[in-house]
Amino acid sequence: MPPPKKILCVAEKNSISKAVAEHLSGGHFQTGNTGNQYIKNYTFTFDFGPPWGNCQVVMTSVSGHLTAVKFDDEYERSWDNPPPEALFDAPVQVKVEDDKLPISNNIKNNARGAHALFIWTDCDREGEHIGGEVRTEALKGNPTLEIRRARFSNIERAHIIHAAKHPVNLDERQVLSVAVRIELDLRIGYAFTRHLTNSLRPLGGPLSVRPDGGRRVISFGLCQFPTLGFVVDRYFRVKNFVPEPFWSIKVTHRRDDINVVFNWKRVRLFDRAVVVILFERCIAAKTAKVIKVQEKPTSKWKPLPLTTVELQKNASRFLRMNSHEAMAAAEVLYQKGFISYPRTETDRFDPGMNLRALVEKQTQDNRWGTFAQNLVNGAFKQPRQGRHDDKAHPPIHPVAYCAPANLRDKEKRVYEFITRRFLACCSDDAKGQATDVDIQYADEVFSAHGVVVLARNYLDVYPYENWTNSVTLPKFTLDEVFEPTEAMLTEGKTSASSYLTEPDLIALMDANGIGTDATMAEHINTIKQREYVYTRPKGGGGRGNHAPAPARGAREGRGARAGRGGQGRGGGATGAGGGGGVEEFIPSTLGVALVDGYDKMGHEISLSKPFLRKEMELKMKDICEGRLAGDVMLRESLKQYKRVFDLSKEQLNVLKASCRRYVLNNGA
DNA sequence: GCAAGGTC
């Protein structure tokens, strides 16, 4: 009998390699240290079936990307020479970063004497590229390795064992598409950042030195710039808003001690004379007639399984912490083994997952234990299935019970939210009975809406939501005629939207493909640190000392110009629940100057809008699906961005003018 | 001193 083959398995992070080792070995593995404190080597035997059979396995991991792309040294010494545009075609090298060398050595050493490398990185695009990096290092240790890849989308035991026995090949197209993205982000980001910093510094003042005395870096990146653009765009929409008066008719009727409000079907009109005429006709008619009574069951849907973006938005709304703080707390909870991986886009649970077992772990809690016990006793419902699946991680959920005393304040709040959200997902929708009553009053139609909540269900464990406007209506009968208690002509003004809050900003980034679940909070942090934006408590009227001068010709009350944001009739939904800790984003004068300057240069595609990043995303997809070659994308995108760069250089005076106007407050 | 993406 031949000796067992040796197989080296490498995952993207230690938590996955440990979980896989536990499943494949049935819990019988040995743990060895590596040169990295977070990464362990797990050794065990496993029968992969044909052709490898029973094998000696070393299971280890990397810690995200192993390598970084770097410019040659001569491009790192100075920001002027060679000039920034040289970075568009300067030579680059892929290097293992110094702090990753122990990880690389661990892989090389264990590759020696191994028959095969089995890659277990996350099954998303970046994971595929990390798998490619692992392969490169392993082959340095042993050029004859057979290379296979596990395809898995969760770490359930049966799923992992199936993945181990049905390996596939690395997807070269995905690997390549990420390599292209990395190189483009590097060349473009560095070239623009150096050029911006070099050319604005001579203007002096805050463009040269930071308030803390450090030298100013004016950075540019394809994610941070559109993020700034969202903030500036909303800022001008608010500043340039011109309120418009409107008029409406409100009918109320008192019956059975309930004041019923009937809302006008036309909602409101912007012409007073017309509303007055319609209102007078109602008064003249004296009586109204019930033309529709409809009762029907209704429900308020339970929330979707939790993604990172949702966690971040809700943290700001309900937990009084920003996305950065929420992710830090989630990271701790994950490290301690209380919650699943906190960076995920998936809002559907794999049907094979044993959710009941996870619910059962929560029955001991004195806040939601009874609710969980109810689910265990039969009220359990399979969660809704969202439309997103990153094929790498399940939705965020509690994996072990944690008593509140064991956590710091922020971690406690995040754990509570994640757990309540999970239990809500495993519960039933709230059920109610809706009543709609329409009346005709002269020629106008008005309607009243009522809801009686019959079963709160998930709302009992999820205090972050309520069923608002759940009012009971008194009895109305079809064709009945009555004299309304009161009819009023009301007057109002459209109001401006508020400044962007963090949930708004994250929602915009998410919808426009700016950043990933793991990086959105970082981009927001970056534009704060660069002093392009600052935050303040929502509704705190005081202006920060960075507030820019109002846009020329758009000063409130001075002219009818609505500005580029449009009129936003009725105001924007900010969704900022109870105020409290919600912060709003205001651009600094520098942030406004950058966006204003670039927008006025006349670029074909605006740099402060998300289009360019979206285009990159689409081209990466083309590469993955075989419609576009990687080297073609790289070459053409570089050409395109070089043109943008050349135009920016040519039009530098436009940007400088914006900086003088907004930042230095002089000149036109 | 500079990007965006992984992860601790």
Side-chain angles (χ1 to χ4, degrees):
Chain A
M1 198 165 131
K5 288 180 168 146
K6 287 187 184 167
I7 307 289
L8 170 61
C9 295
V10 182
E12 186 163 322
K13 47 197 163 251
N14 185 67
S15 58
I16 296 286
S17 74
K18 185 175 182 190
V20 172
E22 273 169 0
H23 288 323
L24 298 189
S25 70
H28 303 291
F29 59 85
Q30 274 154 3
T31 305
N33 285 323
T34 68
N36 179 299
Q37 59 169 314
Y38 302 106
I39 297 174
K40 307 283 181 220
N41 290 343
Y42 305 102
T43 51
F44 54 92
T45 59
F46 178 73
D47 188 346
F48 287 91
W52 295 344
N54 204 38
C55 296
Q56 274 291 119
V57 183
V58 175
M59 175 97 221
T60 188
S61 75
V62 288
S63 181
H65 284 288
L66 248 188
T67 61
V69 180
K70 297 255 183 226
F71 289 107
D72 286 356
D73 277 349
E74 60 164 312
Y75 295 88
E76 295 285 0
R77 285 186 208 112
S78 149
W79 280 28
D80 306 282
N81 188 28
E85 59 261 42
L87 299 179
F88 281 101
D89 43 26
V92 289
Q93 293 174 36
V94 178
K95 276 192 182 151
V96 176
E97 301 212 66
D98 286 350
D99 60 334
K100 299 285 177 71
L101 280 172
I103 305 177
S104 158
N105 288 334
N106 183 45
I107 291 172
K108 282 191 275 196
N109 292 339
N110 282 292
R112 292 189 192 106
H115 173 78
L117 168 69
F118 200 152
I119 296 165
W120 286 82
T121 49
D122 292 356
C123 290
D124 53 23
R125 230 168 27 200
E126 296 291 332
E128 213 66 18
H129 183 267
I130 293 168
E133 296 175 276
V134 169
R135 171 178 58 186
T136 304
E137 295 310 298
L139 287 173
K140 285 182 194 163
N142 178 356
T144 65
L145 278 176
E146 183 184 341
I147 314 281
R148 305 311 313 267
R149 199 242 195 285
R151 178 153 297 287
F152 63 106
S153 57
N154 63 63
I155 50 167
E156 286 276 290
R157 194 183 126 79
H159 184 73
I160 288 301
I161 290 175
H162 182 270
K165 295 192 172 184
H166 300 83
V168 297
N169 291 322
L170 216 50
D171 184 335
E172 305 298 341
R173 289 168 177 170
Q174 289 193 43
V175 175
L176 188 63
S177 74
V178 171
V180 171
R181 175 197 65 68
I182 290 172
E183 193 174 329
L184 283 174
D185 277 331
L186 175 76
R187 292 186 186 277
I188 296 162
Y190 271 40
F192 273 90
T193 298
R194 290 181 180 186
H195 169 247
L196 267 177
T197 305
N198 289 348
S199 44
L200 295 181
R201 180 170 300 144
L203 295 185
L207 292 163
S208 153
V209 188
R210 294 169 50 98
D212 62 14
R215 60 177 168 177
R216 169 82 63 192
V217 167
I218 301 178
S219 65
F220 177 95
L222 291 174
C223 285
Q224 52 177 271
F225 213 67
T227 305
L228 168 62
F230 290 133
V231 176
V232 174
D233 192 61
R234 178 66 74 88
Y235 174 79
F236 276 114
R237 224 184 281 188
V238 174
K239 276 286 160 240
N240 297 344
F241 183 80
V242 180
E244 267 187 284
F246 61 79
W247 293 267
S248 181
I249 305 171
K250 181 173 145 189
V251 175
T252 53
H253 187 64
R254 192 165 181 82
R255 177 173 290 185
D256 303 344
D257 278 339
I258 301 171
N259 257 333
V260 184
V261 176
F262 288 91
N263 294 307
W264 198 17
K265 279 275 177 181
R266 299 182 196 262
V267 186
R268 62 192 175 189
L269 295 177
F270 291 86
D271 184 335
R272 183 170 190 277
V274 172
V275 179
V276 168
I277 290 169
L278 297 176
F279 175 71
E280 282 172 352
R281 284 186 194 160
C282 290
I283 299 299
K286 282 208 167 59
T287 58
K289 182 178 174 186
V290 177
I291 55 170
K292 181 177 127 188
V293 176
Q294 191 179 58
E295 288 210 21
K296 59 179 178 197
T298 181
S299 53
K300 183 174 170 65
W301 287 3
K302 61 187 179 180
L304 281 170
L306 187 61
T307 62
T308 304
V309 164
E310 275 300 301
L311 171 63
Q312 293 178 347
K313 289 198 278 189
N314 285 297
S316 180
R317 279 178 193 154
F318 306 126
L319 309 181
R320 297 184 178 183
M321 56 184 94
N322 64 36
S323 56
H324 213 70
E325 296 168 318
M327 288 310 288
E331 186 61 40
V332 171
L333 292 168
Y334 165 67
Q335 290 302 329
K336 291 184 173 169
F338 295 130
I339 64 166
S340 63
Y341 193 64
R343 289 176 280 277
T344 174
E345 295 170 14
T346 308
D347 54 9
R348 56 197 312 169
F349 282 104
D350 189 288
M353 249 179 100
N354 188 355
L355 301 178
R356 280 186 172 82
L358 296 172
V359 171
E360 191 147 17
K361 293 182 179 178
Q362 299 296 332
T363 55
Q364 58 189 293
D365 189 86
N366 59 23
R367 292 158 293 177
W368 52 75
T370 318
F371 190 91
Q373 188 61 52
N374 251 325
L375 296 183
V376 172
N377 293 348
F380 177 88
K381 288 265 195 279
Q382 192 63 24
R384 290 168 58 199
Q385 299 241 302
R387 289 180 295 110
H388 305 94
D389 191 345
D390 63 17
K391 303 281 183 199
H393 308 98
I396 304 170
H397 62 275
V399 294
Y401 179 70
C402 178
N406 298 332
L407 296 175
R408 289 166 194 269
D409 179 53
K410 279 179 184 156
E411 296 155 18
K412 200 170 12 186
R413 269 141 62 202
V414 170
Y415 182 78
E416 173 170 358
F417 174 75
I418 289 171
T419 304
R420 287 184 180 276
R421 173 77 169 225
F422 175 69
L423 295 174
C425 285
C426 295
S427 171
D428 203 352
D429 297 338
K431 301 284 162 95
Q433 182 79 356
T435 312
D436 285 295
V437 177
D438 284 6
I439 57 170
Q440 186 169 347
Y441 195 19
D443 287 332
E444 298 306 303
V445 177
F446 299 81
S447 60
H449 179 78
V451 172
V452 179
V453 180
L454 301 175
R456 286 177 51 80
N457 294 329
Y458 86 89
L459 289 172
D460 279 335
V461 80
Y462 201 64
Y464 316 102
E465 280 182 13
N466 212 335
W467 206 340
T468 50
N469 71 22
S470 52
V471 288
T472 316
L473 291 189
K475 186 85 183 148
F476 285 92
T477 320
L478 190 64
D479 293 333
E480 118 178 48
V481 174
F482 66 95
E483 189 172 338
T485 312
E486 189 180 43
M488 273 171 58
L489 193 152
T490 62
E491 185 178 349
K493 257 193 287 190
T494 54
S495 54
S497 8
S498 9
Y499 296 116
L500 271 189
T501 61
E502 194 166 37
D504 296 335
L505 185 52
I506 287 174
L508 280 170
M509 294 173 75
D510 186 39
N512 288 284
I514 299 300
T516 68
D517 49 7
T519 60
M520 275 182 230
E522 285 177 35
H523 296 313
I524 294 174
N525 213 34
T526 301
I527 61 171
K528 278 189 195 170
Q529 286 189 339
R530 299 271 186 264
E531 297 177 314
Y532 296 165
V533 302
Y534 63 96
T535 58
R536 65 181 187 194
K538 189 175 164 64
R543 287 185 134 205
N545 50 3
H546 300 291
R552 218 151 270 267
R555 211 174 293 260
E556 266 170 293
R558 207 185 66 171
R561 212 181 90 167
R564 56 183 184 170
Q567 309 204 3
R569 202 171 261 186
T574 59
V582 180
E583 303 220 298
E584 57 190 15
F585 284 69
I586 315 282
S588 68
T589 53
L590 174 58
V592 169
L594 290 173
V595 169
D596 183 69
Y598 268 104
D599 283 356
K600 285 187 176 145
M601 286 179 185
H603 290 290
E604 278 171 47
I605 303 178
S606 169
L607 293 171
S608 67
K609 298 235 167 0
F611 309 131
L612 282 169
R613 190 76 199 179
K614 193 148 232 170
E615 187 184 53
M616 185 184 287
E617 179 70 25
L618 290 175
K619 286 185 175 170
M620 286 175 76
K621 229 174 163 179
D622 285 343
I623 292 178
C624 291
E625 286 163 16
R627 290 188 294 269
L628 178 64
D631 55 343
V632 174
M633 170 174 175
L634 185 61
R635 208 169 47 233
E636 291 189 345
S637 294
L638 282 175
K639 211 160 73 186
Q640 176 191 5
Y641 283 101
K642 177 66 167 39
R643 278 204 307 273
V644 174
F645 184 92
D646 289 340
L647 181 63
S648 306
K649 240 177 100 174
E650 231 172 75
Q651 299 272 62
L652 187 60
N653 281 333
V654 175
L655 178 62
K656 283 184 174 171
S658 284
C659 287
R660 288 197 190 95
R661 175 166 140 206
Y662 287 107
V663 184
L664 305 175
N665 268 322
N666 59 18

